[in-house]
Amino acid sequence: MKKVMLTGDRPTGRLHLGHYVGSLKRRVELQNSNSFDEMYIMIADSQAITDNAYNLEKVRQNIIEVALDYLACGLDPNKVTLFIQSQIPELAELTFYYMNLVTLARLERNPTVKNEIKLRDFETSIPVGFLTYPISQAADITAFKASIVPVGDDQLPMLEQAREIVRSFNHTYEEVLVEPEALLPDNAICSRLPGLDGKAKMSKSLGNCIYLADTEEEIEKKVMAMFTDPNHLRVEDPGCVEDNPVFTYLDAFCREEHFGKYLSEYKNLDELKEHYKRGGLGDVKIKRFLNQVLQEELRPIRKKREELSQNIKEVYKILGEGSKKARKVAMETMQEVKRAMKINYFEDLSFLEEQTKKYEDK
Ligand code: TRP
């Protein structure tokens, strides 16, 4: 069986450092490992619409932004098919049939959706499309027969829902669909980078992000204003490295070579942490170091993003060609699905024969 990977993002904003450590970096590694026969990365605009129906412009404005972020990080359109969800009508068609294999109670139990409903104050007015987006996500995955879906752990309920739909479909009709598996980030920092303010998650709505498109000055300003240990008031005070996002970011980004380059009094991060814990190491010094480390990581991404942004036509072409290619694959699966459900009346000549016979025999 072919090894297929698919994943995606809702285009509701530019991508940030949390996306980068949590997923983008991994995708590029997977791409470069050449371990998949096919790789798909989707800009999930239809899904973004499920809670932005009255604010479509936001979604529209972020299609190219997300594509720029993808390409800037090193995703290569020759190896990965980049496409826009809404341009593949088969995904909506599949969703419509899958809906009959899922109960309302099952949708209402989805913990991620439940949480999102709370966050959006939807409690008394949940759009039907929003409640059912896990079904549409199952369509996204199965249309391409993806077996591996790299996602954060918040997406596990979506994968479980997709697997249930696959089992139900294959059992009820015919073995057509492939059961997907999640590929989770391989360490805790990568699965959830805290915000600049020390809150559990870097998130656009909390305004605590470093964006991949941020300028050097913006990054520096944000890093120097980061939350640290609130009890570390004077340089001499002992400091805490746990729940201190400056150290969490260093855990995620700094390598031993950075010390030689930028902070040669220390050999490695353990030594730096020890000093901070003992007292006598100021926040400004570690923030300056973190800034240098981040600048080094983000500089080439920003540069590539700037270059690409001078050629939006090319980005547009990449998405157009990717969507065309993705559509072809989804159409093939759709045909198999219709065949399995026996709703391919005009392709199925035995249907005509059988219906004719039904009357001949009378
Ligand atoms: N739900 C995902 C998110 O919010 C986006 C998404 C849509 C997705 N369809 C998908 C992810 C299919 C993986 C596979 O980030």
Side-chain angles (χ1 to χ4, degrees):
M1 203 169 64
K2 265 195 294 195
K3 233 181 133 193
V4 181
M5 188 225 85
L6 177 138
T7 189
D9 301 277
R10 299 180 194 179
T12 52
R14 289 175 171 179
L15 302 180
H16 54 60
L17 215 51
H19 296 114
Y20 179 67
V21 286
S23 58
L24 296 170
K25 226 174 153 176
R26 183 81 173 285
R27 293 177 195 176
V28 175
E29 285 163 12
L30 290 173
Q31 159 192 287
N32 295 336
S33 74
N34 291 323
S35 46
F36 291 96
D37 299 303
E38 289 168 25
M39 291 182 72
Y40 298 92
I41 297 185
M42 176 181 63
I43 299 180
D45 64 332
S46 311
Q47 189 175 110
I49 290 174
T50 65
D51 63 336
N52 285 291
Y54 303 103
N55 191 10
L56 290 185
E57 196 49 28
K58 178 167 96 184
V59 177
R60 185 169 175 271
Q61 288 305 326
N62 282 299
I63 303 262
I64 299 289
E65 297 292 346
V66 170
L68 283 171
D69 288 329
Y70 283 167
L71 296 165
C73 286
L75 288 175
D76 175 355
N78 295 311
K79 297 186 178 166
V80 177
T81 305
L82 300 173
F83 70 96
I84 306 177
Q85 184 186 19
S86 63
Q87 303 310 295
I88 320 296
E90 287 71 24
L91 299 179
E93 199 177 350
L94 277 177
T95 302
F96 190 68
Y97 295 121
Y98 292 172
M99 280 182 166
N100 307 314
L101 304 173
V102 179
T103 66
L104 184 57
R106 177 67 184 85
L107 289 174
E108 286 171 340
R109 273 204 308 277
N110 185 311
T112 299
V113 177
K114 254 177 154 163
N115 188 34
E116 288 173 320
I117 287 170
K118 234 191 242 139
L119 288 174
R120 288 163 178 73
D121 281 327
F122 271 166
E123 264 112 341
T124 53
S125 57
I126 311 167
V128 172
F130 187 77
L131 188 68
T132 56
Y133 90 70
I135 304 178
S136 114
Q137 192 159 329
D140 303 337
I141 296 167
T142 55
F144 302 92
K145 302 200 175 164
S147 51
I148 299 292
V149 183
V151 281
D153 54 5
D154 63 316
Q155 295 293 301
L156 287 176
M158 307 306 153
L159 267 290
E160 198 40 49
Q161 178 71 82
R163 291 157 66 86
E164 283 174 31
I165 290 172
V166 168
R167 287 196 286 263
S168 173
F169 185 98
N170 285 349
H171 174 78
T172 311
Y173 308 116
E174 232 184 87
E175 286 276 334
V176 168
L177 304 177
V178 174
E179 256 189 68
E181 243 174 83
L183 180 64
L184 293 174
D186 46 15
N187 68 57
I189 306 164
C190 291
S191 56
R192 186 143 300 170
L193 195 73
L196 293 165
D197 53 2
K199 293 220 174 87
K201 199 177 164 190
M202 186 175 275
S203 126
K204 187 183 31 144
S205 51
L206 296 173
N208 59 8
C209 303
I210 290 179
Y211 291 97
L212 298 178
D214 278 351
T215 63
E216 188 151 347
E217 295 70 34
E218 282 168 326
I219 296 170
E220 181 175 358
K221 210 167 135 209
K222 287 179 181 180
V223 171
M224 296 314 286
M226 269 178 83
F227 175 86
T228 61
D229 170 6
N231 298 316
H232 185 243
L233 296 174
R234 288 166 306 172
V235 173
E236 316 82 79
D237 291 339
C240 191
V241 298
E242 283 88 39
D243 298 323
N244 182 334
V246 175
F247 280 99
T248 313
Y249 289 15
L250 285 173
D251 278 328
F253 290 102
C254 117
R255 296 183 298 272
E256 238 164 83
E257 69 200 65
H258 291 130
F259 285 92
K261 258 198 233 168
Y262 306 121
L263 200 62
S264 55
E265 312 114 87
Y266 303 90
K267 266 212 299 293
N268 54 39
L269 190 53
D270 287 336
E271 267 190 32
L272 189 73
K273 284 183 180 170
E274 280 315 313
H275 193 184
Y276 193 78
K277 286 197 271 191
R278 254 192 341 263
L281 176 56
D283 283 342
V284 171
K285 192 162 176 177
I286 52 164
K287 284 178 174 176
R288 283 211 182 110
F289 177 53
L290 173 63
N291 177 52
Q292 282 167 313
V293 169
L294 288 180
Q295 297 288 358
E296 187 177 317
E297 183 94 18
L298 295 178
R299 197 172 297 123
I301 298 175
R302 179 175 52 244
K303 201 165 155 260
K304 184 123 192 250
R305 202 182 192 283
E306 278 164 9
E307 279 164 22
L308 288 158
S309 67
Q310 295 311 301
N311 194 357
I312 296 296
K313 212 168 158 181
E314 176 62 20
V315 178
Y316 191 71
K317 195 171 134 215
I318 290 169
L319 293 176
E321 284 171 2
S323 300
K324 207 163 142 191
K325 202 162 140 201
R327 173 129 204 237
K328 245 174 97 182
V329 177
M331 280 172 84
E332 278 168 31
T333 305
M334 194 67 229
Q335 254 191 347
E336 287 179 58
V337 160
K338 283 183 162 172
R339 212 173 291 146
M341 293 174 73
K342 298 195 172 202
I343 56 172
N344 58 338
Y345 312 112
F346 297 112
E347 186 197 281
D348 175 12
L349 296 179
S350 70
F351 176 70
L352 173 61
E353 206 177 305
E354 164 206 314
Q355 295 300 309
T356 309
K357 233 200 193 114
K358 190 163 91 187
Y359 282 93
E360 276 173 4
D361 293 348
K362 270 199 181 152

